[in-house]
Amino acid sequence: MRRTTGYAPGRINLIGEHTDYNDGLVMPVALRLGVTVETGSRDDGIAHLTTEAPISPSEASYELGIERRDGTWVDRARGVTSILARDRVDIGGFDAVIRSDLPLGAGLGSSAAFAIALLRSLSELFDRPLDDTAIVRIAHAAETEFAGARAGLLDQLASVFGRPSEALLIDMRDQAMRTIPVPPTVELAVIDSGTRHEHATGGYNRRREECEDACRHLGIASLRDLDERPLDTILERLPPPLDRRVRHVVSENARVRDAVVALGARDDARLGELLSASHRSLRDDYAVSTPELDRLVELAGAAGSFGARMVGGGFGGSIIALTRRGAAKDIAFRVLEGYGGGRLVAIVP
Ligand code: GLA
C-alpha cells in the first residue's frame, strides 16, 4: 500500500499578537518542532486517525462526507477533508498516524501545523498537488469555517513560509512578507506553562468580536485604519473594554515597527523592552494572559532576560524570553525552578 508523509512546523511570534485578524503586523519565527502525519489509502471512504501524542482521543474515525464537529482535535482533520470536498479536491479514505514533537495547545501553532501536515500528506497520497497558497487557505478554512475558532492567518503563514532562524515580518493588510534575521547576539527560550487554552470556547472569539464592535463604533473597516490617527481622541469615543482592546492592537502594531528598528540596530535591550511592553499590553489591555504566564514572564525578568512575553492566543500556553546568545538555557532553568513546573520547549534559533 502507498504511504506518504507530511510535516509542518510550529511557530513562535516575536511580537505582534492579536494583530493578525485586525489587518496588522506580525513577526513569527518557525520552530524546529512540528507535526508529522503519515497517511495510507483505504478503499472504504473512512478516515481513520491515530496519534501517539498525549491528547484525547488517541484514535478516531469518520466517514468522508459526514464530518460532524465533536469539539476535539479530530475536528481539524474533519475540517480539512470537508473543505477539500467543498473545493472539489477528490480524495478517498485513508489511515493517518500523527506524531508531534511540538507540544499541543501550548500557543505554538499546533492546530495549524497538524492541518498543514495532513494536507501535505493527503495531497501527495491522492496525487492532488496543492501550492503553498492553497495549503494556507484550506488549513485556515478548516480552523475557522469548520472548527469554529475565528483565528487569523498568523499560524498558517508562519508554518508554511516561516524559517527557523529568521523572523518573518508579515503585513496582514496585503500579506507582504519580509525576512529579518535573528541577531547573532540573542536567542529565545520558549517555555510552556503547562496550562492549556481552548480557543473555540474560550475568550479568543470574544476578543475578535470586540474588535469588530470597536470598528462599528468608529465607522472603520479595520483597526489598522487607526494607525495614523491620534489615539487619545479615538479611545474617548469607545466604551470600556473596547477602548483598552483598541489600545492594545494599535500600540502592538507600533511595537512591531519599533522592533524592526531595534533588530536592524542590533539593540537587544530595546527589543527586550518591547517584548515586555507587549506582554503588559496583552495582560492589562487585551486581557488574554493568565496568572501562570504573568508569573513566568516576571521570573524571566528577574533571571536576567532582556524581556519576555506570552506568545500566541493566550489563556494558557507558553512564553518566550529574549536572552543573550548562549544564556537561554540557564535563564530558562532558573525560571522553571521558581515556577515549580512547566517545560523548556525550545531555544530559538
Ligand atoms: C492564535 C491564532 C492566530 C493569532 C494568535 C494571536 O495563535 O491562531 O491567528 O491571532 O492567536 O496573535
Side-chain angles (χ1 to χ4, degrees), residues 11 13 16-21 26 107-109 111-112 140 143 149-156 172 197 199 204 208 248 282 286 309-314:
R11 56 109 191 90
N13 187 17
E17 218 69 88
H18 285 277
T19 49
D20 64 343
Y21 52 84
V26 295
L108 302 174
S111 286
H140 184 247
E143 185 79 21
R150 297 188 58 216
L153 276 165
L154 167 67
D155 302 351
Q156 292 79 12
M172 289 291 173
H197 64 96
H199 283 166
Y204 186 95
R208 195 162 175 168
H248 165 72
L282 287 158
Y286 218 63
R309 64 178 203 83
M310 54 151 276
V311 67

PDB file of all heavy atoms in Angstrom, residues 11 13 16-21 26 107-109 111-112 140 143 149-156 172 197 199 204 208 248 282 286 309-314, ligand 1:
ATOM      1  N   ARG A  11       5.318  27.454  15.500  1.00  0.00           N
ATOM      2  CA  ARG A  11       5.911  28.790  15.416  1.00  0.00           C
ATOM      3  C   ARG A  11       5.923  29.462  16.792  1.00  0.00           C
ATOM      4  O   ARG A  11       5.161  29.102  17.688  1.00  0.00           O
ATOM      5  CB  ARG A  11       5.127  29.688  14.453  1.00  0.00           C
ATOM      6  CG  ARG A  11       3.636  29.821  14.796  1.00  0.00           C
ATOM      7  CD  ARG A  11       3.250  31.194  15.337  1.00  0.00           C
ATOM      8  NE  ARG A  11       1.905  31.208  15.891  1.00  0.00           N
ATOM      9  CZ  ARG A  11       1.640  30.943  17.157  1.00  0.00           C
ATOM     10  NH1 ARG A  11       2.603  30.628  18.014  1.00  0.00           N
ATOM     11  NH2 ARG A  11       0.396  30.957  17.607  1.00  0.00           N
ATOM     12  N   ASN A  13       5.968  33.755  17.914  1.00  0.00           N
ATOM     13  CA  ASN A  13       5.752  35.053  17.285  1.00  0.00           C
ATOM     14  C   ASN A  13       6.588  36.026  18.099  1.00  0.00           C
ATOM     15  O   ASN A  13       6.360  36.166  19.303  1.00  0.00           O
ATOM     16  CB  ASN A  13       4.255  35.388  17.336  1.00  0.00           C
ATOM     17  CG  ASN A  13       3.895  36.634  16.552  1.00  0.00           C
ATOM     18  OD1 ASN A  13       4.664  37.095  15.705  1.00  0.00           O
ATOM     19  ND2 ASN A  13       2.726  37.186  16.828  1.00  0.00           N
ATOM     20  N   GLY A  16       3.741  41.158  17.937  1.00  0.00           N
ATOM     21  CA  GLY A  16       2.602  41.370  17.037  1.00  0.00           C
ATOM     22  C   GLY A  16       1.537  40.335  17.339  1.00  0.00           C
ATOM     23  O   GLY A  16       1.211  39.492  16.515  1.00  0.00           O
ATOM     24  N   GLU A  17       0.958  40.420  18.564  1.00  0.00           N
ATOM     25  CA  GLU A  17      -0.023  39.404  18.983  1.00  0.00           C
ATOM     26  C   GLU A  17      -1.434  39.981  18.938  1.00  0.00           C
ATOM     27  O   GLU A  17      -1.648  41.126  19.360  1.00  0.00           O
ATOM     28  CB  GLU A  17       0.339  38.940  20.401  1.00  0.00           C
ATOM     29  CG  GLU A  17       0.132  37.475  20.646  1.00  0.00           C
ATOM     30  CD  GLU A  17       1.117  36.586  19.883  1.00  0.00           C
ATOM     31  OE1 GLU A  17       2.205  36.315  20.415  1.00  0.00           O
ATOM     32  OE2 GLU A  17       0.766  36.159  18.767  1.00  0.00           O
ATOM     33  N   HIS A  18      -2.358  39.164  18.421  1.00  0.00           N
ATOM     34  CA  HIS A  18      -3.755  39.573  18.246  1.00  0.00           C
ATOM     35  C   HIS A  18      -3.866  40.777  17.316  1.00  0.00           C
ATOM     36  O   HIS A  18      -4.780  41.591  17.434  1.00  0.00           O
ATOM     37  CB  HIS A  18      -4.433  39.850  19.599  1.00  0.00           C
ATOM     38  CG  HIS A  18      -4.749  38.580  20.335  1.00  0.00           C
ATOM     39  ND1 HIS A  18      -5.869  37.830  20.089  1.00  0.00           N
ATOM     40  CD2 HIS A  18      -4.059  37.907  21.292  1.00  0.00           C
ATOM     41  CE1 HIS A  18      -5.865  36.762  20.866  1.00  0.00           C
ATOM     42  NE2 HIS A  18      -4.771  36.777  21.604  1.00  0.00           N
ATOM     43  N   THR A  19      -2.931  40.888  16.415  1.00  0.00           N
ATOM     44  CA  THR A  19      -2.995  41.922  15.380  1.00  0.00           C
ATOM     45  C   THR A  19      -3.391  41.312  14.044  1.00  0.00           C
ATOM     46  O   THR A  19      -3.865  42.024  13.166  1.00  0.00           O
ATOM     47  CB  THR A  19      -1.619  42.595  15.209  1.00  0.00           C
ATOM     48  OG1 THR A  19      -0.637  41.562  15.092  1.00  0.00           O
ATOM     49  CG2 THR A  19      -1.267  43.467  16.406  1.00  0.00           C
ATOM     50  N   ASP A  20      -3.201  39.993  13.878  1.00  0.00           N
ATOM     51  CA  ASP A  20      -3.371  39.418  12.517  1.00  0.00           C
ATOM     52  C   ASP A  20      -4.790  39.582  11.985  1.00  0.00           C
ATOM     53  O   ASP A  20      -4.984  39.977  10.838  1.00  0.00           O
ATOM     54  CB  ASP A  20      -2.881  37.961  12.443  1.00  0.00           C
ATOM     55  CG  ASP A  20      -3.644  36.971  13.299  1.00  0.00           C
ATOM     56  OD1 ASP A  20      -4.374  37.395  14.224  1.00  0.00           O
ATOM     57  OD2 ASP A  20      -3.510  35.755  13.049  1.00  0.00           O
ATOM     58  N   TYR A  21      -5.804  39.336  12.838  1.00  0.00           N
ATOM     59  CA  TYR A  21      -7.178  39.470  12.338  1.00  0.00           C
ATOM     60  C   TYR A  21      -7.648  40.924  12.361  1.00  0.00           C
ATOM     61  O   TYR A  21      -8.810  41.209  12.102  1.00  0.00           O
ATOM     62  CB  TYR A  21      -8.135  38.555  13.127  1.00  0.00           C
ATOM     63  CG  TYR A  21      -8.054  38.715  14.626  1.00  0.00           C
ATOM     64  CD1 TYR A  21      -8.754  39.709  15.291  1.00  0.00           C
ATOM     65  CD2 TYR A  21      -7.246  37.855  15.382  1.00  0.00           C
ATOM     66  CE1 TYR A  21      -8.678  39.854  16.665  1.00  0.00           C
ATOM     67  CE2 TYR A  21      -7.154  37.989  16.756  1.00  0.00           C
ATOM     68  CZ  TYR A  21      -7.872  38.990  17.399  1.00  0.00           C
ATOM     69  OH  TYR A  21      -7.779  39.135  18.755  1.00  0.00           O
ATOM     70  N   VAL A  26       2.721  41.218  12.131  1.00  0.00           N
ATOM     71  CA  VAL A  26       3.164  40.094  12.967  1.00  0.00           C
ATOM     72  C   VAL A  26       4.600  39.738  12.589  1.00  0.00           C
ATOM     73  O   VAL A  26       5.080  40.134  11.522  1.00  0.00           O
ATOM     74  CB  VAL A  26       2.266  38.843  12.783  1.00  0.00           C
ATOM     75  CG1 VAL A  26       0.857  39.117  13.275  1.00  0.00           C
ATOM     76  CG2 VAL A  26       2.250  38.389  11.331  1.00  0.00           C
ATOM     77  N   GLY A 107       0.013  27.213  22.517  1.00  0.00           N
ATOM     78  CA  GLY A 107       0.176  28.540  21.919  1.00  0.00           C
ATOM     79  C   GLY A 107       1.287  28.590  20.886  1.00  0.00           C
ATOM     80  O   GLY A 107       1.799  29.658  20.556  1.00  0.00           O
ATOM     81  N   LEU A 108       1.663  27.413  20.360  1.00  0.00           N
ATOM     82  CA  LEU A 108       2.794  27.351  19.432  1.00  0.00           C
ATOM     83  C   LEU A 108       2.356  26.913  18.030  1.00  0.00           C
ATOM     84  O   LEU A 108       3.170  26.429  17.239  1.00  0.00           O
ATOM     85  CB  LEU A 108       3.877  26.416  19.999  1.00  0.00           C
ATOM     86  CG  LEU A 108       4.402  26.830  21.382  1.00  0.00           C
ATOM     87  CD1 LEU A 108       5.358  25.789  21.942  1.00  0.00           C
ATOM     88  CD2 LEU A 108       5.093  28.194  21.322  1.00  0.00           C
ATOM     89  N   GLY A 109       1.086  27.091  17.737  1.00  0.00           N
ATOM     90  CA  GLY A 109       0.595  26.853  16.375  1.00  0.00           C
ATOM     91  C   GLY A 109       0.405  25.393  16.009  1.00  0.00           C
ATOM     92  O   GLY A 109       0.495  25.032  14.831  1.00  0.00           O
ATOM     93  N   SER A 111      -2.327  23.494  16.009  1.00  0.00           N
ATOM     94  CA  SER A 111      -3.523  23.192  15.202  1.00  0.00           C
ATOM     95  C   SER A 111      -3.238  23.406  13.728  1.00  0.00           C
ATOM     96  O   SER A 111      -3.565  22.560  12.884  1.00  0.00           O
ATOM     97  CB  SER A 111      -4.682  24.120  15.576  1.00  0.00           C
ATOM     98  OG  SER A 111      -5.212  23.759  16.793  1.00  0.00           O
ATOM     99  N   ALA A 112      -2.620  24.537  13.411  1.00  0.00           N
ATOM    100  CA  ALA A 112      -2.300  24.843  12.010  1.00  0.00           C
ATOM    101  C   ALA A 112      -1.284  23.841  11.483  1.00  0.00           C
ATOM    102  O   ALA A 112      -1.417  23.342  10.359  1.00  0.00           O
ATOM    103  CB  ALA A 112      -1.765  26.268  11.891  1.00  0.00           C
ATOM    104  N   HIS A 140      -6.563  27.207   6.966  1.00  0.00           N
ATOM    105  CA  HIS A 140      -7.222  28.293   7.694  1.00  0.00           C
ATOM    106  C   HIS A 140      -8.746  28.099   7.691  1.00  0.00           C
ATOM    107  O   HIS A 140      -9.409  28.271   8.727  1.00  0.00           O
ATOM    108  CB  HIS A 140      -6.840  29.640   7.060  1.00  0.00           C
ATOM    109  CG  HIS A 140      -7.391  30.810   7.811  1.00  0.00           C
ATOM    110  ND1 HIS A 140      -8.352  31.635   7.283  1.00  0.00           N
ATOM    111  CD2 HIS A 140      -7.135  31.278   9.056  1.00  0.00           C
ATOM    112  CE1 HIS A 140      -8.656  32.568   8.179  1.00  0.00           C
ATOM    113  NE2 HIS A 140      -7.930  32.370   9.263  1.00  0.00           N
ATOM    114  N   GLU A 143      -9.903  25.575  10.185  1.00  0.00           N
ATOM    115  CA  GLU A 143      -9.896  26.101  11.548  1.00  0.00           C
ATOM    116  C   GLU A 143     -11.087  27.034  11.795  1.00  0.00           C
ATOM    117  O   GLU A 143     -11.764  26.942  12.811  1.00  0.00           O
ATOM    118  CB  GLU A 143      -8.580  26.877  11.750  1.00  0.00           C
ATOM    119  CG  GLU A 143      -8.330  27.409  13.131  1.00  0.00           C
ATOM    120  CD  GLU A 143      -7.834  26.338  14.090  1.00  0.00           C
ATOM    121  OE1 GLU A 143      -7.305  25.311  13.633  1.00  0.00           O
ATOM    122  OE2 GLU A 143      -7.999  26.542  15.298  1.00  0.00           O
ATOM    123  N   ALA A 149     -13.022  28.186  15.417  1.00  0.00           N
ATOM    124  CA  ALA A 149     -12.133  29.146  16.084  1.00  0.00           C
ATOM    125  C   ALA A 149     -11.837  30.233  15.057  1.00  0.00           C
ATOM    126  O   ALA A 149     -11.281  29.951  14.001  1.00  0.00           O
ATOM    127  CB  ALA A 149     -10.848  28.463  16.520  1.00  0.00           C
ATOM    128  N   ARG A 150     -12.232  31.471  15.373  1.00  0.00           N
ATOM    129  CA  ARG A 150     -12.155  32.515  14.345  1.00  0.00           C
ATOM    130  C   ARG A 150     -10.753  33.117  14.267  1.00  0.00           C
ATOM    131  O   ARG A 150     -10.568  34.329  14.324  1.00  0.00           O
ATOM    132  CB  ARG A 150     -13.204  33.583  14.633  1.00  0.00           C
ATOM    133  CG  ARG A 150     -14.628  33.034  14.557  1.00  0.00           C
ATOM    134  CD  ARG A 150     -15.639  34.152  14.648  1.00  0.00           C
ATOM    135  NE  ARG A 150     -15.425  35.124  13.594  1.00  0.00           N
ATOM    136  CZ  ARG A 150     -15.600  36.437  13.756  1.00  0.00           C
ATOM    137  NH1 ARG A 150     -15.946  36.927  14.924  1.00  0.00           N
ATOM    138  NH2 ARG A 150     -15.397  37.259  12.746  1.00  0.00           N
ATOM    139  N   ALA A 151      -9.761  32.246  14.147  1.00  0.00           N
ATOM    140  CA  ALA A 151      -8.363  32.672  14.175  1.00  0.00           C
ATOM    141  C   ALA A 151      -7.983  33.430  12.909  1.00  0.00           C
ATOM    142  O   ALA A 151      -8.646  33.316  11.881  1.00  0.00           O
ATOM    143  CB  ALA A 151      -7.470  31.456  14.330  1.00  0.00           C
ATOM    144  N   GLY A 152      -6.898  34.198  13.017  1.00  0.00           N
ATOM    145  CA  GLY A 152      -6.339  34.879  11.852  1.00  0.00           C
ATOM    146  C   GLY A 152      -5.414  33.939  11.091  1.00  0.00           C
ATOM    147  O   GLY A 152      -5.417  32.725  11.318  1.00  0.00           O
ATOM    148  N   LEU A 153      -4.592  34.515  10.233  1.00  0.00           N
ATOM    149  CA  LEU A 153      -3.741  33.704   9.347  1.00  0.00           C
ATOM    150  C   LEU A 153      -2.320  33.515   9.853  1.00  0.00           C
ATOM    151  O   LEU A 153      -1.504  32.873   9.189  1.00  0.00           O
ATOM    152  CB  LEU A 153      -3.678  34.376   7.962  1.00  0.00           C
ATOM    153  CG  LEU A 153      -4.817  34.059   7.005  1.00  0.00           C
ATOM    154  CD1 LEU A 153      -4.828  35.061   5.859  1.00  0.00           C
ATOM    155  CD2 LEU A 153      -4.660  32.640   6.456  1.00  0.00           C
ATOM    156  N   LEU A 154      -2.023  34.082  11.030  1.00  0.00           N
ATOM    157  CA  LEU A 154      -0.645  34.036  11.540  1.00  0.00           C
ATOM    158  C   LEU A 154      -0.047  32.631  11.512  1.00  0.00           C
ATOM    159  O   LEU A 154       1.035  32.412  10.957  1.00  0.00           O
ATOM    160  CB  LEU A 154      -0.623  34.582  12.981  1.00  0.00           C
ATOM    161  CG  LEU A 154       0.650  34.325  13.787  1.00  0.00           C
ATOM    162  CD1 LEU A 154       1.818  35.105  13.203  1.00  0.00           C
ATOM    163  CD2 LEU A 154       0.455  34.697  15.251  1.00  0.00           C
ATOM    164  N   ASP A 155      -0.744  31.671  12.117  1.00  0.00           N
ATOM    165  CA  ASP A 155      -0.151  30.348  12.314  1.00  0.00           C
ATOM    166  C   ASP A 155       0.096  29.630  10.985  1.00  0.00           C
ATOM    167  O   ASP A 155       1.129  28.987  10.797  1.00  0.00           O
ATOM    168  CB  ASP A 155      -1.056  29.481  13.201  1.00  0.00           C
ATOM    169  CG  ASP A 155      -1.310  30.122  14.554  1.00  0.00           C
ATOM    170  OD1 ASP A 155      -0.659  31.137  14.866  1.00  0.00           O
ATOM    171  OD2 ASP A 155      -2.170  29.618  15.295  1.00  0.00           O
ATOM    172  N   GLN A 156      -0.869  29.737  10.074  1.00  0.00           N
ATOM    173  CA  GLN A 156      -0.724  29.039   8.791  1.00  0.00           C
ATOM    174  C   GLN A 156       0.404  29.665   7.966  1.00  0.00           C
ATOM    175  O   GLN A 156       1.229  28.944   7.387  1.00  0.00           O
ATOM    176  CB  GLN A 156      -2.052  29.096   8.004  1.00  0.00           C
ATOM    177  CG  GLN A 156      -3.195  28.290   8.614  1.00  0.00           C
ATOM    178  CD  GLN A 156      -3.873  29.006   9.782  1.00  0.00           C
ATOM    179  OE1 GLN A 156      -3.662  30.200  10.027  1.00  0.00           O
ATOM    180  NE2 GLN A 156      -4.698  28.274  10.513  1.00  0.00           N
ATOM    181  N   MET A 172      -0.445  42.000   7.418  1.00  0.00           N
ATOM    182  CA  MET A 172      -1.653  41.232   7.119  1.00  0.00           C
ATOM    183  C   MET A 172      -2.608  41.971   6.195  1.00  0.00           C
ATOM    184  O   MET A 172      -3.563  41.377   5.694  1.00  0.00           O
ATOM    185  CB  MET A 172      -2.369  40.857   8.420  1.00  0.00           C
ATOM    186  CG  MET A 172      -1.635  39.818   9.204  1.00  0.00           C
ATOM    187  SD  MET A 172      -1.688  38.218   8.352  1.00  0.00           S
ATOM    188  CE  MET A 172      -0.591  37.276   9.403  1.00  0.00           C
ATOM    189  N   HIS A 197      -5.142  26.165  26.589  1.00  0.00           N
ATOM    190  CA  HIS A 197      -6.197  27.079  26.161  1.00  0.00           C
ATOM    191  C   HIS A 197      -7.218  26.304  25.325  1.00  0.00           C
ATOM    192  O   HIS A 197      -6.950  25.239  24.826  1.00  0.00           O
ATOM    193  CB  HIS A 197      -5.608  28.183  25.305  1.00  0.00           C
ATOM    194  CG  HIS A 197      -5.025  27.668  24.015  1.00  0.00           C
ATOM    195  ND1 HIS A 197      -5.716  27.664  22.840  1.00  0.00           N
ATOM    196  CD2 HIS A 197      -3.828  27.100  23.741  1.00  0.00           C
ATOM    197  CE1 HIS A 197      -4.967  27.132  21.890  1.00  0.00           C
ATOM    198  NE2 HIS A 197      -3.823  26.773  22.404  1.00  0.00           N
ATOM    199  N   HIS A 199      -9.381  27.762  22.269  1.00  0.00           N
ATOM    200  CA  HIS A 199      -9.795  28.970  21.554  1.00  0.00           C
ATOM    201  C   HIS A 199     -11.294  29.047  21.277  1.00  0.00           C
ATOM    202  O   HIS A 199     -11.931  30.061  21.491  1.00  0.00           O
ATOM    203  CB  HIS A 199      -9.070  29.066  20.206  1.00  0.00           C
ATOM    204  CG  HIS A 199      -7.664  29.531  20.371  1.00  0.00           C
ATOM    205  ND1 HIS A 199      -6.731  29.439  19.371  1.00  0.00           N
ATOM    206  CD2 HIS A 199      -7.031  30.077  21.410  1.00  0.00           C
ATOM    207  CE1 HIS A 199      -5.593  29.931  19.800  1.00  0.00           C
ATOM    208  NE2 HIS A 199      -5.751  30.309  21.041  1.00  0.00           N
ATOM    209  N   TYR A 204     -11.035  33.800  22.915  1.00  0.00           N
ATOM    210  CA  TYR A 204     -10.439  34.257  21.648  1.00  0.00           C
ATOM    211  C   TYR A 204     -11.484  34.881  20.707  1.00  0.00           C
ATOM    212  O   TYR A 204     -11.316  36.011  20.236  1.00  0.00           O
ATOM    213  CB  TYR A 204      -9.733  33.088  20.944  1.00  0.00           C
ATOM    214  CG  TYR A 204      -8.969  33.508  19.718  1.00  0.00           C
ATOM    215  CD1 TYR A 204      -7.613  33.803  19.772  1.00  0.00           C
ATOM    216  CD2 TYR A 204      -9.607  33.647  18.486  1.00  0.00           C
ATOM    217  CE1 TYR A 204      -6.909  34.204  18.645  1.00  0.00           C
ATOM    218  CE2 TYR A 204      -8.921  34.050  17.365  1.00  0.00           C
ATOM    219  CZ  TYR A 204      -7.583  34.323  17.445  1.00  0.00           C
ATOM    220  OH  TYR A 204      -6.895  34.727  16.319  1.00  0.00           O
ATOM    221  N   ARG A 208     -12.148  38.879  19.250  1.00  0.00           N
ATOM    222  CA  ARG A 208     -12.334  39.238  17.847  1.00  0.00           C
ATOM    223  C   ARG A 208     -13.640  40.029  17.655  1.00  0.00           C
ATOM    224  O   ARG A 208     -13.678  41.022  16.937  1.00  0.00           O
ATOM    225  CB  ARG A 208     -12.342  37.957  17.010  1.00  0.00           C
ATOM    226  CG  ARG A 208     -12.171  38.292  15.594  1.00  0.00           C
ATOM    227  CD  ARG A 208     -11.746  37.187  14.717  1.00  0.00           C
ATOM    228  NE  ARG A 208     -11.763  37.740  13.361  1.00  0.00           N
ATOM    229  CZ  ARG A 208     -11.247  37.180  12.320  1.00  0.00           C
ATOM    230  NH1 ARG A 208     -10.635  36.042  12.440  1.00  0.00           N
ATOM    231  NH2 ARG A 208     -11.322  37.756  11.145  1.00  0.00           N
ATOM    232  N   HIS A 248      -4.545  48.159  22.801  1.00  0.00           N
ATOM    233  CA  HIS A 248      -3.576  47.072  22.611  1.00  0.00           C
ATOM    234  C   HIS A 248      -3.216  46.915  21.132  1.00  0.00           C
ATOM    235  O   HIS A 248      -2.048  46.871  20.768  1.00  0.00           O
ATOM    236  CB  HIS A 248      -4.074  45.719  23.136  1.00  0.00           C
ATOM    237  CG  HIS A 248      -3.220  44.603  22.608  1.00  0.00           C
ATOM    238  ND1 HIS A 248      -1.935  44.397  23.048  1.00  0.00           N
ATOM    239  CD2 HIS A 248      -3.412  43.710  21.591  1.00  0.00           C
ATOM    240  CE1 HIS A 248      -1.381  43.415  22.352  1.00  0.00           C
ATOM    241  NE2 HIS A 248      -2.259  42.975  21.461  1.00  0.00           N
ATOM    242  N   LEU A 282      -0.920  42.918  26.538  1.00  0.00           N
ATOM    243  CA  LEU A 282      -1.776  41.723  26.390  1.00  0.00           C
ATOM    244  C   LEU A 282      -2.432  41.365  27.721  1.00  0.00           C
ATOM    245  O   LEU A 282      -3.561  40.875  27.761  1.00  0.00           O
ATOM    246  CB  LEU A 282      -0.935  40.543  25.886  1.00  0.00           C
ATOM    247  CG  LEU A 282      -0.518  40.632  24.416  1.00  0.00           C
ATOM    248  CD1 LEU A 282       0.707  39.759  24.141  1.00  0.00           C
ATOM    249  CD2 LEU A 282      -1.676  40.237  23.499  1.00  0.00           C
ATOM    250  N   TYR A 286      -5.592  43.822  26.741  1.00  0.00           N
ATOM    251  CA  TYR A 286      -6.281  42.820  25.929  1.00  0.00           C
ATOM    252  C   TYR A 286      -6.842  41.684  26.778  1.00  0.00           C
ATOM    253  O   TYR A 286      -7.720  40.943  26.340  1.00  0.00           O
ATOM    254  CB  TYR A 286      -5.349  42.296  24.826  1.00  0.00           C
ATOM    255  CG  TYR A 286      -6.094  42.055  23.538  1.00  0.00           C
ATOM    256  CD1 TYR A 286      -6.706  43.109  22.863  1.00  0.00           C
ATOM    257  CD2 TYR A 286      -6.232  40.787  23.015  1.00  0.00           C
ATOM    258  CE1 TYR A 286      -7.418  42.904  21.695  1.00  0.00           C
ATOM    259  CE2 TYR A 286      -6.943  40.565  21.841  1.00  0.00           C
ATOM    260  CZ  TYR A 286      -7.539  41.629  21.190  1.00  0.00           C
ATOM    261  OH  TYR A 286      -8.249  41.418  20.038  1.00  0.00           O
ATOM    262  N   ARG A 309       7.475  37.659  27.107  1.00  0.00           N
ATOM    263  CA  ARG A 309       6.030  37.841  26.936  1.00  0.00           C
ATOM    264  C   ARG A 309       5.338  36.520  26.623  1.00  0.00           C
ATOM    265  O   ARG A 309       5.986  35.561  26.203  1.00  0.00           O
ATOM    266  CB  ARG A 309       5.741  38.846  25.818  1.00  0.00           C
ATOM    267  CG  ARG A 309       6.197  38.394  24.447  1.00  0.00           C
ATOM    268  CD  ARG A 309       5.803  39.460  23.431  1.00  0.00           C
ATOM    269  NE  ARG A 309       5.708  38.873  22.110  1.00  0.00           N
ATOM    270  CZ  ARG A 309       4.647  38.223  21.658  1.00  0.00           C
ATOM    271  NH1 ARG A 309       3.574  38.050  22.424  1.00  0.00           N
ATOM    272  NH2 ARG A 309       4.635  37.730  20.450  1.00  0.00           N
ATOM    273  N   MET A 310       4.040  36.505  26.848  1.00  0.00           N
ATOM    274  CA  MET A 310       3.245  35.351  26.426  1.00  0.00           C
ATOM    275  C   MET A 310       3.238  35.329  24.907  1.00  0.00           C
ATOM    276  O   MET A 310       3.410  36.350  24.251  1.00  0.00           O
ATOM    277  CB  MET A 310       1.817  35.408  26.973  1.00  0.00           C
ATOM    278  CG  MET A 310       1.070  36.699  26.667  1.00  0.00           C
ATOM    279  SD  MET A 310      -0.732  36.486  26.538  1.00  0.00           S
ATOM    280  CE  MET A 310      -0.901  35.947  24.829  1.00  0.00           C
ATOM    281  N   VAL A 311       3.010  34.136  24.346  1.00  0.00           N
ATOM    282  CA  VAL A 311       3.051  34.010  22.890  1.00  0.00           C
ATOM    283  C   VAL A 311       1.802  33.282  22.404  1.00  0.00           C
ATOM    284  O   VAL A 311       1.273  32.412  23.107  1.00  0.00           O
ATOM    285  CB  VAL A 311       4.356  33.294  22.456  1.00  0.00           C
ATOM    286  CG1 VAL A 311       4.380  31.839  22.910  1.00  0.00           C
ATOM    287  CG2 VAL A 311       4.594  33.392  20.964  1.00  0.00           C
ATOM    288  N   GLY A 312       1.289  33.690  21.245  1.00  0.00           N
ATOM    289  CA  GLY A 312       0.098  33.048  20.692  1.00  0.00           C
ATOM    290  C   GLY A 312      -1.178  33.676  21.228  1.00  0.00           C
ATOM    291  O   GLY A 312      -1.177  34.814  21.697  1.00  0.00           O
ATOM    292  N   GLY A 313      -2.259  32.911  21.187  1.00  0.00           N
ATOM    293  CA  GLY A 313      -3.568  33.443  21.530  1.00  0.00           C
ATOM    294  C   GLY A 313      -3.752  33.765  23.007  1.00  0.00           C
ATOM    295  O   GLY A 313      -4.561  34.605  23.370  1.00  0.00           O
ATOM    296  N   GLY A 314      -3.014  33.077  23.888  1.00  0.00           N
ATOM    297  CA  GLY A 314      -3.135  33.328  25.328  1.00  0.00           C
ATOM    298  C   GLY A 314      -4.119  32.392  26.005  1.00  0.00           C
ATOM    299  O   GLY A 314      -4.434  31.327  25.470  1.00  0.00           O
TER     300      GLY A 314
HETATM  301  C1  GLA B   1      -3.698  32.290  17.671  1.00  0.00           C
HETATM  302  C2  GLA B   1      -4.383  32.459  16.323  1.00  0.00           C
HETATM  303  C3  GLA B   1      -3.620  33.453  15.457  1.00  0.00           C
HETATM  304  C4  GLA B   1      -3.344  34.754  16.196  1.00  0.00           C
HETATM  305  C5  GLA B   1      -2.764  34.487  17.578  1.00  0.00           C
HETATM  306  C6  GLA B   1      -2.639  35.741  18.400  1.00  0.00           C
HETATM  307  O1  GLA B   1      -2.458  31.685  17.505  1.00  0.00           O
HETATM  308  O2  GLA B   1      -4.450  31.215  15.658  1.00  0.00           O
HETATM  309  O3  GLA B   1      -4.339  33.697  14.272  1.00  0.00           O
HETATM  310  O4  GLA B   1      -4.493  35.543  16.281  1.00  0.00           O
HETATM  311  O5  GLA B   1      -3.545  33.561  18.305  1.00  0.00           O
HETATM  312  O6  GLA B   1      -1.720  36.620  17.835  1.00  0.00           O
END
